[in-house]
Each structure stands twice: as C-alpha cells, then as structure tokens.
Amino acid sequence: MDTMKSSAAPPTMQQVARAAGVARSTVSRAFTKPGMLSTETVAQIKSVAASLGYVPNQVARALSTGRHGNVALIVPDVANPFFPPLIRAVEAAADAAGMCIFLGDSDEDPAREARLVGKLSAQVDGLILASCRLAEGAIQALSGRLPIVLINRDVAGMDRVLIDSAPGVAAAVRHLHELGHRCVAYLAGPVSSWSNERRRIAVLDTAQESGLEVIQIAPRRPSYEGGMAAATIVRSTRATAVIAFDDLVAQGLLAGMARMGVHAPAGISVVGCDDVLASRTYPALTTIASRPELAGRMAMEVLLEQLAAGKSSGAAHMLNTELIIRATTGLPLLR
C-alpha cells in the first residue's frame, strides 16, 4: 500500500550545492563565513537557496561555528518613546547583516537587567545595553564573557555610543536666560542614568555662568505619571522654567500644571529632552534633539565590527544634540 506524504521534505544543503554547481562546503561557508568567498559566489548561492526555500539550521550553525546569528538588546523601558526608534534601527541593521534581535525590558530594575543578561547571554553572539542601570563593576565583568556595546553609558575601555546631551542642555539654559528667566528647575531622571548626570551637570554649570538659580527636583521614574506628580512640587518653587529629564516627563509635567490652571508658556516654560514627542504635544514642546535611531544603528554597526575583529576597540562614539525651540518656552510670568 502506497503512503502519501503530507508535505515535501525541506530542501537540504546538498540540494542547494547541486543546484548552484558548487561543493556542499562552499554553501556552508556562504552562510557561516561569507568573508571567505567572493561577493558574487555568496549572492549566487543565497539566490539559489531562496528559490529552493532552503533555510539554514541555526542550531547546527551554532554548533559548527560557535555563532547563533542572534544579538540581545536590553532597554530600561520599552514603553518610553525614546526607545522604539532606537530598537527599530538596531533591528534593521541586524536584519541587513542576517541576524535576529532578542529584546529585553529591564523595567528600570538593575536586578531584572542582570537576570535578562544571564538568560540571553547563552543564546546570542553579542549584547547591546541601552541606558544600562547596572553598576559599573557588573558591566565590566560582562565584557569578558561576550561582545558588548553600550548606549548612553560611559564605561572606559568598552565600545559605547554616547548621545551627549550637555551641549543641547547648555543651549536650553542660555535660551531661558535670554528670555528673562532667573530661576530654573531641573526635573531629574534616574540616579543611575549617565544621561541624567550629564544633563544635571550641564544645567548647573551653565546656570552658574549665566547667574541663574537652579532648583533640583528629586529623581523619579522617567514617565508621564512621574512628570504629572512633579507638577505640585514645581508650582511650590520660585522656578519660572523647567528642564525635564526627557520628553515623556515634560509631557506629564505640562498636563499636571494645566490641571492646576498653569499653562505653558504663559505660566511656566518647559523644555524636554530627546525630541521624540515634541511636535505631538500641545503646545509643541521645546526640546533637545538626540536622534536615538542614529544611536541604535551605530551601536549595531560597532557590535558587528567587534564580532568581525574578535575584540573590542574600547572606543567612545559621540553623537551631538541640539536645542529645538518650539512653543513651550516664552517670557517669564512674575511670581
């Protein structure tokens, strides 16, 4: 009695080799070590493989090459509007290199971040830590285990992509001074955030140069709710302008102030950071543009270079920021 197969068996590497007119080992190299072959040969083999529906066995590939074809990206809050453009850029760069991304969300918790790193490390070829909240010693210990690139965390001797907020923040302080503000509040972000420290210091240093008074408002979770909760504190101070840790906090602050009848810019001037929500707020938010998508793309490119070289360059790749003046900053209301 004949038995009918429900579906055809998937194509094998040997079938691809036969159809492409090359050795099986050449097909293997096309997918695992393409640098050993000419660009034309790799393109031909992958074209034939695609036409046959051949998909490399990733488990076998990992066993034979020690490479999984995966990269882990861990962020502190996937819901924060700063991170989706960064994530998409990392994914696009990884996809172009034939790799997949495993995404982890640490929820601003260093212990959770450490657990995610532990779980993902055995399944990936490299790791990108964005706005890492781990202690510096813990990050340095990781660098000996697998290739790592940091985004917005400055650890000497490690590959890192740093969005330098200081120039943009300094420009924001000078802008507020020129408008006539004499007391400015800085609404801080997480204590462990490298970006927060850069912004805080830039506010203090530039304010001192300009003769401005600065009121520092205690760090809280960088969220819309955190910004709203800070509104009552801001209103109780002498500050006529606020520089918020990021756009999300600034948006929450605008909403919280509006609930108390204080509107920007007539009642309070507000500046955000990152430029990921700014044009969609009402009124449109004055902010510091940081281009997270560029940071994500660069981080993936640096990681690929590290994987190819077999070692870290230990370089810091700096990205500049700039002040974008919109509708939430204006002349101060005497209080």
Side-chain angles (χ1 to χ4, degrees):
M1 186 177 184
D2 292 336
T3 301
M4 295 184 65
K5 295 181 180 178
S6 59
S7 61
T12 65
M13 187 180 292
Q14 185 60 49
Q15 289 173 317
V16 175
R18 191 180 303 118
V22 297
R24 185 180 183 280
S25 59
T26 304
V27 175
S28 176
R29 290 191 187 98
F31 287 98
T32 60
K33 299 178 181 178
M36 297 179 65
L37 305 173
S38 69
T39 303
E40 293 77 12
T41 299
V42 173
Q44 178 205 4
I45 291 171
K46 290 192 174 181
S47 175
V48 171
S51 67
L52 294 176
Y54 172 75
V55 178
N57 185 319
Q58 293 297 328
V59 174
R61 176 179 174 178
L63 290 172
S64 63
T65 67
R67 292 284 179 88
H68 299 272
N70 304 317
V71 170
L73 168 63
I74 299 177
V75 301
D77 183 1
V78 72
N80 188 306
F82 174 82
F83 292 106
L86 183 151
I87 293 167
R88 291 188 66 181
V90 171
E91 287 183 325
D95 184 64
M99 304 185 81
C100 293
I101 293 294
F102 292 170
L103 177 63
D105 181 348
S106 70
D107 197 31
E108 296 285 354
D109 182 356
R112 178 180 170 87
E113 187 170 11
R115 290 195 299 272
L116 284 169
V117 169
K119 290 178 180 178
L120 294 172
S121 293
Q123 307 172 63
V124 299
D125 301 324
L127 184 64
I128 297 175
L129 298 177
S131 302
C132 180
R133 306 307 191 208
L134 295 174
E136 185 167 316
I139 299 173
Q140 290 173 328
L142 287 173
S143 66
R145 292 168 47 191
L146 78 169
I148 293 178
V149 174
L150 305 174
I151 299 177
N152 281 353
R153 185 63 186 269
D154 192 11
V155 178
M158 296 185 68
D159 282 332
R160 57 226 191 259
V161 176
L162 304 173
I163 301 173
D164 189 7
S165 304
V169 170
V173 174
R174 288 191 289 269
H175 166 61
L176 294 171
H177 180 261
E178 289 167 3
L179 286 171
H181 294 275
R182 295 298 176 260
C183 182
V184 175
Y186 176 62
L187 185 47
V191 175
S192 57
S193 166
W194 175 82
S195 297
N196 177 67
E197 188 63 9
R198 291 286 293 168
R199 293 167 189 177
R200 187 184 72 84
I201 292 173
V203 169
L204 293 174
D205 288 351
T206 312
Q208 185 176 33
E209 294 170 6
S210 304
L212 278 172
E213 178 186 356
V214 176
I215 296 172
Q216 299 185 65
I217 298 177
R220 57 191 65 237
R221 185 184 177 95
S223 65
Y224 179 86
E225 293 75 17
M228 283 195 70
T232 54
I233 301 172
V234 170
R235 195 178 187 190
S236 69
T237 71
R238 297 182 302 280
T240 57
V242 180
I243 296 176
F245 169 71
D246 66 12
D247 286 353
L248 194 58
V249 173
Q251 186 186 40
L253 176 66
L254 286 169
M257 297 297 287
R259 283 189 177 184
M260 295 184 290
V262 180
H263 300 276
I268 188 81
S269 284
V270 177
V271 179
C273 284
D274 296 333
D275 197 26
V276 290
L277 284 177
S279 62
R280 286 172 282 179
T281 63
Y282 183 79
L285 181 66
T286 295
T287 190
I288 293 134
S290 60
R291 298 180 296 169
E293 67 286 348
L294 179 58
R297 183 169 69 250
M298 183 175 290
M300 189 64 212
E301 290 171 354
V302 171
L303 183 59
L304 290 171
E305 291 171 2
Q306 190 179 144
L307 288 168
K311 62 180 181 179
S312 169
S313 68
H317 304 267
M318 302 294 292
L319 301 177
N320 290 326
T321 55
E322 62 176 328
L323 175 67
I324 307 296
I325 299 172
R326 295 193 178 96
T328 58
T329 50
L331 301 175
L333 178 69
L334 295 179
R335 299 173 64 182

